[in-house]
Amino acid sequence: MRGVPREEYLYPGHAACAGCSASLALRLTLKALGRKTIMVVPACCTSIIQGPFPKSAVAVPLMNIMFEAAAACAAGIAAGLEARGIEDVTVLAWAGDGGTYDIGLQALSGAAERGDNLLYICYNNQAYMNTGIQRSGATPYGARTTTTPVLGKKEHQKNMPLIMMAHGIPYVATATPAYPQDLIRKVRKAASVKGTRYIEILCPCPPGWRYPAEKTIEVSRLAVKTCAFPLWECYWEDGHQVVRLTGPSRLIAEVPELKLPIEPYVAIQGRFSGISKADIRALQEWVDASWRRLVEMAKA
């Protein structure tokens, strides 16, 4: 594929589920960053995917850390590299939404406030998948999990990319493995600047979202085309934050008729089974309002 390096830093035979987009996202991310990368991984699916000690499916140095401490640990490693005068290594905190939106938010916010030199990537599968599919702050309205089993979640998800943008950090972006060139470009762009950088990668989960494993890319694309998960980036230019839509999201902003309704995205996922028409309308209204806000930000 054009623009995707051939080198592999995530080896085959790892422990990911069939159709796991988190493993695909990690594979693409490491292709973008290359061998001079140090990973920090809190408790999450990747703790299993990487393989049990003393073997590993990941071909770069990797440190497993407590659930709440990914950004703090990455900040410490970055400080150590700086003290030794090493400037060509990327410190990558790679965490799920549970360790980002909820349990690890304090450490991430602190790192952003200090401007620690690290790249933080949240691979967002919208629940605590590794521990049994419990709802998280990233779980969308109406989705059923093991802790919201009857009526589905009744709160809308947080918008972590905007929360990180509000910290004024050098770079914020969203991506999905369904658009690999867009993902790789953003990871490389983030690696080219210093300070705290944040990328959120939507990673649909077949067992957690309850769809056939071979539908992962289709589900990812629907998330973008319905604007449930728009693709965008934010960076500083001439002293101002610039928001730029990318990929299909940019086209949808130019031609609004290309935006799909939320129904096909919801219908393909078993976690939304039994959702009422009123809840679908509420979810659509939230998606539409969030999209309008993002488009206005991109026009500013």
Side-chain angles (χ1 to χ4, degrees):
M1 185 180 294
R2 181 181 297 177
V4 179
R6 296 180 61 88
E7 294 80 9
E8 297 287 353
Y9 300 99
L10 179 65
Y11 297 137
H14 54 70
C17 300
C20 173
S21 57
S23 61
L24 179 55
L26 178 57
R27 181 185 177 198
L28 292 170
T29 295
L30 291 177
K31 280 175 173 287
L33 293 177
R35 190 169 297 278
K36 289 192 173 182
T37 305
I38 298 175
M39 284 185 66
V40 176
V41 179
C44 61
C45 291
T46 302
S47 304
I48 307 302
I49 293 170
Q50 71 190 38
F53 181 84
K55 299 183 182 297
S56 175
V58 180
V60 299
L62 185 152
M63 182 175 185
N64 291 112
I65 197 66
M66 296 178 292
F67 219 148
E68 69 275 18
C73 179
I77 293 173
L81 292 173
E82 182 180 358
R84 296 180 60 189
I86 299 173
E87 299 181 349
D88 60 348
V89 174
T90 301
V91 181
L92 170 65
W94 177 267
D97 51 284
T100 302
Y101 279 60
D102 303 330
I103 297 173
L105 180 56
Q106 39 71 39
L108 175 56
S109 180
E113 179 190 358
R114 294 187 301 269
D116 293 322
N117 190 30
L118 60 94
L119 170 55
Y120 192 107
I121 294 184
C122 170
Y123 67 96
N124 181 5
N125 50 32
Q126 298 188 335
Y128 290 83
M129 298 305 181
N130 188 42
T131 54
I133 317 175
Q134 299 89 358
R135 61 89 86 195
S136 77
T139 305
Y141 178 88
R144 296 189 183 196
T145 68
T146 54
T147 48
T148 57
V150 180
L151 299 176
K153 188 185 173 197
K154 289 303 177 185
E155 303 82 24
H156 290 290
Q157 66 208 67
K158 298 177 187 177
N159 195 323
M160 271 301 299
L162 288 188
I163 291 172
M164 295 310 298
M165 179 180 164
H167 284 73
I169 59 178
Y171 190 72
V172 177
T174 65
T176 172
Y179 301 96
Q181 291 95 339
D182 180 76
L183 187 155
I184 287 175
R185 183 188 65 79
K186 288 171 178 173
V187 171
R188 285 177 169 168
K189 188 170 183 177
S192 71
V193 297
K194 290 189 175 182
T196 305
R197 297 89 78 198
Y198 178 86
I199 299 177
E200 182 158 316
I201 304 176
L202 182 69
C203 291
C205 171
W209 293 22
R210 291 192 282 165
Y211 64 82
E214 68 272 15
K215 297 287 187 180
T216 286
I217 298 301
E218 180 181 347
V219 173
S220 299
R221 288 176 177 164
L222 279 172
V224 175
K225 292 178 180 179
T226 59
C227 298
F229 189 82
L231 300 178
W232 58 279
E233 61 185 350
C234 174
Y235 52 90
W236 286 84
E237 190 174 86
D238 298 327
H240 299 281
Q241 280 183 311
V242 175
V243 174
R244 176 177 172 268
L245 298 169
T246 67
S249 297
R250 184 179 62 182
L251 295 176
I252 292 170
E254 294 172 354
V255 186
E257 293 78 12
L258 294 176
K259 181 176 178 291
L260 298 179
I262 202 70
E263 282 89 347
Y265 178 60
V266 168
I268 202 172
Q269 303 174 53
R271 62 177 176 162
F272 289 107
S273 62
I275 188 172
S276 68
K277 291 183 178 179
D279 281 342
I280 291 178
R281 285 196 300 271
L283 183 57
Q284 184 71 72
E285 289 171 0
W286 184 88
V287 167
D288 290 346
S290 299
W291 171 244
R292 286 194 299 269
R293 180 183 182 186
L294 184 60
V295 171
E296 289 302 315
M297 291 169 61
K299 291 179 179 178

